[in-house]
Amino acid sequence: MAETGAGRRGAGASLGRPFRRLWAAYAVSALGTRLAFNAFPLVALQVLHVGPARVAALAAAGAAVGAAVAVPLGPWVEFHRKRPVMVAMDAVRFAALISVPAAYALGVLGFTQLLVVAMVVAAADIAFGAASGAHLKALVPPADRLRANARFESTAWTTTVLGPPLGGAAAGLFGPVAAIAVDAVSYLLSALGLRAIGGREARPERPTAPLLRPTGAAEGWRHLLTDPVLRPLFLNAVLVNGLIMAAEPPLAVLMIGGLGFAPWQYGLAFAVPCVGGLVGSRLAGRLVARFGRHRVLRTTGVLRVCWLPGLAFVRPGPGGLLLVMAVEFGLILCVGVFNPVLATDRLDRTPTDRLARTLAAWSVTGKAVIAAFTALWGVLAAVAGPRAAIATAGLLALATPLLLPRREPGADRAPGDPAGRDAVHRAGRPAR
C-alpha cells in the first residue's frame, strides 16, 4: 500500500533533512557535470590538438575501461557503509579532475592523463551510484521512494537544460579546462554535503569469503537475470538506452555535417526538450497512484521507443529543427516517467544485502552496451550513411517492448494467496 500512503502525504510533503542534504549534494554534482559537458573532447581538440580518432577513443575507452574496473567494486561497496563510500568516490573524482587544470597550469597536460582521468571518473561514477542507491533505500521509507527517485530524475533533467548552455558559454570565455575545474569543485561540495547528513550507519555484515572474488561480483547479475520482473526490465532498459545513445553521433553528423545546422541549433534541439523530463518526473507519482506501477512501466516503456524512428526524417531548415525538438520532447517526457518508476521497482525488488552489487551490475552492463552500440553504429553510419543508421536504431527500438513484463507480478495467484499479495504490494499496487 506504498503508493496509497504516498498519496495521502501529498507530493509536496517533506522527505526529511537527511534526504534534502543527499538531494542537494546530488544537485551540485549533477550541475557541475553538465556544466563540463563535452569539456574533455574540447580539451583534447583545442588544447592538445589531437585528431577525431583519438577524441573518439577518449570517449569509448574511458567508459569501457572504467566499467571493467568497476566490476570488482560492487562487492566492496556492498559490505561497507554506503555514505563513507560515496564521500570517498566524490573525493576520488575531485582529485582526478582537478589534476587536469593543475597539469595544464604547469604545462604538462597530455592525452594519456586525460584518458586515465576519464577511466577513473567512470569507475568512481559506478561505485558511487551503487552506494547511493543502497543508501537511498535505507534513508527513505518504501512509501516515499518513488517521490525521492522522481526528485532525482527532475533534478537530472533540470541540470541538463541549464548546464550545457552555461558550460558552453563559460568554456568560450575561460576555456574548457576551467569547466573541468568547476566539475571537480562540484564533487568536493557534494562530499561536504554528504558528510553533513550526520547519523551513523549500521555496518553491513561482512562475508567470510574474499570481497573481490568473481562469484561475489557476479551476484548482481545473478539476481537481475533470475528475478522474473527485473530480468525483462533490465534487458529492455540497457537495449533501449544503448540504441538511443547509438543514434546520437549519426544524428550530429547528419544535422551539422549534412543538413547545415549550426552547432548552437543542434544544442538547442536537445536542450529545450529536456523540459519534458522535468514534466514526466513530476507526473510519475500521480500516474502510479492512479494506474499502478506495472501499467505505468509498460505504457511508458512502449511509448518511449515510438519516437526514435522519427529522427530519421529530419530535413534542413526550421521545420527540421522543430521535428527534432518534438521527437526528443516526446521521448524524454516518457523517459522522465519511466526512469523513477523503474528505479523504485528495482530498489523494492532487490534485497538489501545484494543491492549495491545489483546496481553496479546494471550500470556496468549499461555502459558496456552503450560503448559497443556507439562503435557499431559509427561503422554503420560510415558504410550506409547517418540517416540509415538512425533509422536502424529506431526500428530495432520498436521491438524492445517485447522484453517488458507482460503480466503484473502476483496477478496469476488467488486473491487469498499471501505470496500473491506480497508480490502485488512490491509491484506498487495496493494489496487487497
Side-chain angles (χ1 to χ4, degrees):
M1 302 181 68
E3 312 308 338
T4 303
R8 284 198 302 268
R9 292 187 60 178
S14 173
L15 293 172
R17 179 178 296 179
F19 173 79
R20 289 198 302 271
R21 289 178 175 173
L22 176 65
W23 185 23
Y26 171 78
V28 168
S29 63
L31 181 59
T33 299
R34 290 303 178 183
L35 286 170
F37 182 71
N38 276 340
F40 267 58
L42 288 176
V43 169
L45 288 169
Q46 297 179 0
V47 177
L48 302 179
H49 307 292
V50 304
R54 299 186 80 183
V55 173
L58 176 64
V65 176
V69 171
V71 170
L73 290 179
W76 179 78
V77 172
E78 192 80 80
F79 300 106
H80 284 78
R81 294 190 179 100
K82 305 304 181 288
R83 197 159 62 243
V85 170
M86 295 160 65
V87 172
M89 292 303 105
D90 272 341
V92 167
R93 290 183 287 188
F94 166 74
L97 289 170
I98 205 65
S99 72
V100 175
Y104 174 74
L106 295 173
V108 296
L109 180 63
F111 181 78
T112 301
Q113 180 179 351
L114 278 187
L115 190 61
V116 171
V117 170
M119 295 174 186
V120 170
V121 170
D125 284 345
I126 294 174
F128 182 94
S132 177
H135 183 59
L136 180 65
K137 182 173 183 177
L139 194 68
V140 177
D144 292 327
R145 285 176 191 155
L146 178 55
R147 287 197 302 127
N149 280 311
R151 291 189 183 182
F152 282 122
E153 185 75 9
S154 64
T155 302
W157 290 113
T158 301
T159 57
T160 303
V161 173
L162 299 176
L166 294 175
L173 290 173
F174 306 108
V177 174
I180 294 178
V182 171
D183 191 17
V185 172
S186 75
Y187 287 118
L188 181 61
L189 295 175
S190 172
L192 294 175
L194 293 170
R195 288 289 301 270
I197 291 176
R200 185 172 179 83
E201 295 179 64
R203 182 183 295 276
E205 184 178 348
R206 297 172 67 89
T208 56
L211 291 180
L212 299 183
R213 61 193 174 96
T215 53
E219 183 60 34
W221 280 287
R222 184 179 298 110
H223 175 65
L224 288 172
L225 296 176
T226 55
D227 187 285
V229 175
L230 286 183
R231 180 176 60 249
L233 289 173
F234 168 60
L235 297 175
N236 173 271
V238 296
L239 288 177
V240 170
N241 291 340
L243 291 169
I244 290 174
M245 297 302 295
E248 283 195 4
L251 183 60
V253 172
L254 176 63
M255 292 183 65
I256 298 175
L259 303 178
F261 288 99
W264 71 266
Q265 291 175 311
Y266 176 78
L268 185 68
F270 289 92
V272 173
C274 290
V275 175
L278 178 60
V279 174
S281 62
R282 300 284 292 178
L283 291 174
R286 300 177 187 177
L287 292 174
V288 168
R290 181 169 182 178
F291 299 107
R293 193 183 296 180
H294 173 76
R295 187 178 299 178
V296 171
L297 275 176
R298 256 200 82 77
T299 303
T300 56
V302 172
L303 291 177
R304 82 194 199 282
V305 300
C306 293
W307 301 90
L308 193 57
L311 295 175
F313 299 97
V314 61
R315 291 289 184 266
L321 189 63
L322 290 175
L323 172 65
V324 174
M325 292 174 71
V327 169
E328 289 291 329
F329 180 86
L331 188 156
I332 293 172
L333 174 67
C334 297
V335 168
V337 177
F338 182 87
N339 281 354
V341 181
L342 172 64
T344 304
D345 207 46
R346 187 172 56 194
L347 287 181
D348 289 348
R349 295 194 64 86
T350 304
T352 302
D353 63 355
R354 70 193 68 173
L355 181 55
R357 284 171 289 180
T358 299
L359 295 176
W362 191 300
S363 184
V364 166
T365 305
K367 289 181 182 294
V369 169
I370 288 173
F373 279 20
T374 300
L376 182 60
W377 257 257
V379 174
L380 180 60
V383 173
R387 200 180 294 275
I390 297 166
T392 301
L395 292 175
L396 289 175
L398 292 177
T400 57
L402 296 174
L403 292 170
L404 291 169
R406 298 187 181 184
R407 304 181 66 180
E408 185 170 3
D412 57 340
R413 295 184 181 271
D417 185 352
R421 287 200 303 271
D422 179 65
V424 171
H425 173 76
R426 285 188 295 154
R429 294 290 297 277
R432 299 186 185 276

